Amino acid sequence: MRIRNLGVLARVDAGKTTVTEVMLFLSGAIRSIGDVDKGTSLSDRLEVEKRRGISVRATTLTFAWKGVQINLVDTPGHIDFAAEVERSLRVLDCAIVVLSAVEGIQSHTESIWAALEARNIPVILFVNKLDRVGSDVLSVVNDMRERFSPNVVLVNQPVAVGTTEASVSDLDDDGVAALAEMVATKDDRILERYLKEELLAVGDLSDAIARCVAHRELFPVFCGVAKNGVGVESLLDGVIAYFPDAVSPIESPTSGVVFRLDHDQKFGRIAGVRLYAGRLKNRDTILNTTAGREEKVTQIKAFRGTRYEDTGILEAGDIGFVCGMPDIQIGDVLGDPGPVPGTYKLGEALLSVQAIPENEGDYTKLAEALQQLSSEDPHLNFTWFNDERELHVKIMGVIQTEILTEILGSRFGIKTRFDDPTVLYKETPATVGHGLEQYTMPKPCWAIVKYLIEPGERGSGVQYRSEVGVNDIRAKYQNEIADSIQDALRQG
């Protein structure tokens, strides 16, 4: 089975979710195109997404195009939900980056590009919204060549830009010549034909473009107006023609990673899993390498069209949804960790907020809800200060608290308010110093612990070692000291 694990990424309002909807419609996965503003788009499943017309969580949808299975991951475009993009990057083989023909490259677009570059993921670019007044495709393309890569190249032609009649056509002779010249600089076979002054059509260049795209040596640019369906079919054809198949060593030891968690009313806890090698079947048992325990698989599903469908099996190269692992966490590696790529950070939560229930009787219920939400999004890093009766989460921005308020109300039935956010600071010792803790109750209950504290290298984190032998102080007591340091540092 040929598979593309395809991400669609963009800054908010570039039209990314609309591109996804049109792809699903063209493939026959849905009968009508959803509208983001009306809350009818398939990839915006949460009620809060439907009401607000923005994506909050990444959504994985499976459909087929010209005999190839596409697992499409539609990611949020707002910076407050960058954590969803981070988790998605780990399971992608290729990506479409959507830009507006008016706004072009924006700050978050550059962050996305840097992440794709760091992960070495092949990219196709889609310049959307040709119909808007102020559209300037050539300016956007030139900007991409300066800020992204000089190997950005147009593969279709915008027509009537900035009008309601905006559309696309095949490249004209000058466009084909420019494309052929660019490909010739990357591929010796095309170079030989180019130097012989052969007349090359786009079809003659297709295989060479695919080889270059797979190695991030070329970045094709498609244009269109997604809301009108213009250019999206050509974009889908480009996904099939230019992106490589997912690698699928089925006979190798099983290897996968959990990249999302959902709580379904019918199926309970569902783990989104990308499998890099081997296969998983219903009722299989697999080692959770991260947690050091066995996990029992009860059901395996795919999300096709508008519902989960039983598949019973998940094979290398594919993405599926696995039931029956009640304690699984995002980021857990299943089986062999070797093939699983590392993580990438798009950003870090720099704000902390306290969640306060409107009804004091909901305090414990709110703590449990935040704990569940934190398991779905570990970046929330929920902390329960029991002595102070305070519940804290980390956020990227204030819009996140508005979304959390709505989710807590609609999903858990808890009316919640959040205090003003406070900035999280990183602290480090400026010079060498000492710490001292004494507990001098009557014998046998007494202890004195002295610490040498000194600055480490930037970015090295907190490192601890004991210079006292276990013959002097038992190992279990020394371990308690080490653990208490980490707990103490949570509050600075």
Side-chain angles (χ1 to χ4, degrees):
M1 178 173 59
R2 300 178 64 198
I3 297 174
R4 304 279 190 280
N5 293 305
L6 172 69
V8 183
L9 303 96
R11 188 191 180 279
V12 66
D13 292 334
K16 163 189 52 60
T17 300
T18 305
V19 171
T20 298
E21 287 291 314
V22 177
M23 285 182 169
L24 292 166
F25 174 74
L26 291 172
S27 72
I30 55 176
R31 294 182 179 179
S32 60
I33 299 172
D35 188 307
V36 175
D37 295 329
K38 293 179 181 178
T40 57
S41 59
L42 180 64
S43 57
D44 288 338
R45 298 184 207 167
L46 301 177
E47 286 302 315
V48 66
E49 294 177 310
K50 296 177 185 296
R51 282 198 301 273
R52 287 177 168 263
I54 62 170
S55 298
V56 171
R57 297 202 65 193
T59 305
T60 304
L61 304 149
T62 298
F63 63 93
W65 185 255
K66 296 188 175 179
V68 178
Q69 177 182 310
I70 297 177
N71 296 322
L72 188 151
V73 182
D74 180 30
T75 61
H78 202 288
I79 186 64
D80 282 18
F81 309 105
E84 289 288 319
V85 183
E86 287 178 17
R87 289 190 282 274
S88 301
L89 285 169
R90 200 173 187 185
V91 302
L92 300 181
D93 299 311
C94 49
I96 294 170
V97 175
V98 182
L99 301 93
S100 163
V102 178
E103 287 82 9
I105 298 173
Q106 297 171 282
S107 57
H108 191 42
T109 324
E110 290 189 286
S111 300
I112 289 168
W113 183 266
L116 293 168
E117 188 173 38
R119 285 289 325 281
N120 201 33
I121 294 173
V123 175
I124 286 175
L125 299 136
F126 184 71
V127 180
N128 191 25
K129 304 190 176 184
L130 301 184
D131 59 326
R132 283 183 55 196
V133 174
S135 296
D136 190 342
V137 175
L138 294 181
S139 175
V140 172
V141 170
N142 287 331
D143 199 21
M144 288 191 288
R145 285 174 179 155
E146 288 181 10
R147 297 163 68 178
F148 288 171
S149 168
N151 300 321
V152 167
V153 60
L154 273 168
V155 293
N156 67 0
Q157 195 94 19
V159 176
V161 173
T163 74
T164 56
E165 304 300 318
S167 64
V168 294
S169 67
D170 293 337
L171 291 173
D172 58 20
D173 291 344
D174 289 341
V176 174
L179 178 60
E181 184 176 354
M182 178 70 82
V183 176
T185 65
K186 309 294 179 186
D187 188 280
D188 289 343
R189 281 165 282 191
I190 297 300
L191 176 61
E192 186 176 344
R193 297 177 65 182
Y194 181 79
L195 293 175
K196 291 178 180 177
E197 298 185 355
E198 286 188 30
L199 190 61
L200 296 168
V202 174
D204 299 320
L205 305 171
S206 184
D207 289 345
I209 293 173
R211 287 191 292 271
C212 293
V213 169
H215 294 96
R216 287 183 54 90
E217 294 174 348
L218 276 182
F219 302 97
V221 179
F222 290 81
C223 303
V225 185
K227 69 177 184 179
N228 298 334
V230 173
V232 180
E233 186 169 348
S234 297
L235 178 63
L236 268 172
D237 289 341
V239 168
I240 303 306
Y242 299 146
F243 282 143
D245 291 339
V247 177
S248 52
I250 293 173
E251 302 309 317
S252 299
T254 303
S255 173
V257 67
V258 177
F259 70 99
R260 67 172 292 143
L261 286 177
D262 292 300
H263 286 78
D264 186 86
Q265 289 185 347
K266 182 178 180 181
F267 303 115
R269 196 178 181 93
I270 302 179
V273 176
R274 162 69 195 270
L275 214 61
Y276 287 93
R279 58 167 60 88
L280 272 178
K281 294 182 290 185
N282 286 353
R283 294 181 293 280
D284 275 355
T285 299
I286 187 167
L287 175 66
N288 182 331
T289 307
T290 305
R293 63 170 181 267
E294 296 288 330
E295 302 283 2
K296 178 74 172 180
V297 174
T298 57
Q299 296 182 74
I300 298 175
K301 301 177 179 293
F303 195 87
R304 294 192 174 98
T306 58
R307 65 187 185 277
Y308 287 110
E309 292 182 3
D310 288 326
T311 60
I313 189 169
L314 179 62
E315 294 186 329
D318 206 355
I319 288 174
F321 295 87
V322 181
C323 307
M325 301 186 289
D327 298 316
I328 201 77
Q329 298 292 320
I330 287 176
D332 281 358
V333 173
L334 303 176
D336 180 10
V340 179
T343 57
Y344 180 90
K345 272 195 172 294
L346 267 173
E348 193 169 347
L350 299 177
L351 302 172
S352 177
V353 290
Q354 181 183 352
I356 303 169
E358 296 287 356
N359 180 355
E360 179 61 26
D362 286 336
Y363 171 78
T364 302
K365 188 178 175 183
L366 176 59
E368 292 170 352
L370 290 173
Q371 205 158 20
Q372 185 168 317
L373 291 175
S374 192
S375 75
E376 297 171 17
D377 180 2
H379 283 63
L380 288 174
N381 197 21
F382 167 61
T383 305
W384 186 348
F385 296 111
N386 202 25
D387 292 342
E388 296 86 354
R389 289 183 62 79
E390 291 185 2
L391 310 172
H392 289 252
V393 291
K394 294 181 180 178
I395 59 169
M396 295 285 288
V398 290
I399 290 181
Q400 205 171 349
T401 60
E402 297 173 16
I403 299 297
L404 284 170
T405 301
E406 291 198 35
I407 291 174
L408 288 165
S410 60
R411 179 171 158 185
F412 299 96
I414 307 170
K415 291 184 177 180
T416 309
R417 65 180 176 86
F418 288 88
D419 269 0
D420 291 336
T422 56
V423 177
L424 295 168
Y425 293 96
K426 285 188 175 180
E427 298 174 316
T428 186
T431 59
V432 175
H434 291 88
L436 181 67
E437 286 291 336
Q438 300 183 74
Y439 187 79
T440 54
M441 293 292 287
K443 287 184 179 182
C445 189
W446 60 270
I448 300 173
V449 181
K450 188 174 183 180
Y451 303 98
L452 170 66
I453 302 170
E454 53 189 352
E457 292 184 13
R458 182 179 292 273
S460 61
V462 178
Q463 299 178 8
Y464 167 83
R465 72 176 187 273
S466 172
E467 295 184 354
V468 178
V470 294
N471 291 329
D472 298 310
I473 299 178
R474 292 182 184 179
K476 67 177 183 178
Y477 298 131
Q478 297 205 39
N479 292 337
E480 288 291 335
I481 293 170
D483 291 341
S484 71
I485 290 175
Q486 294 297 333
D487 287 339
L489 288 174
R490 290 171 67 185
Q491 300 188 53

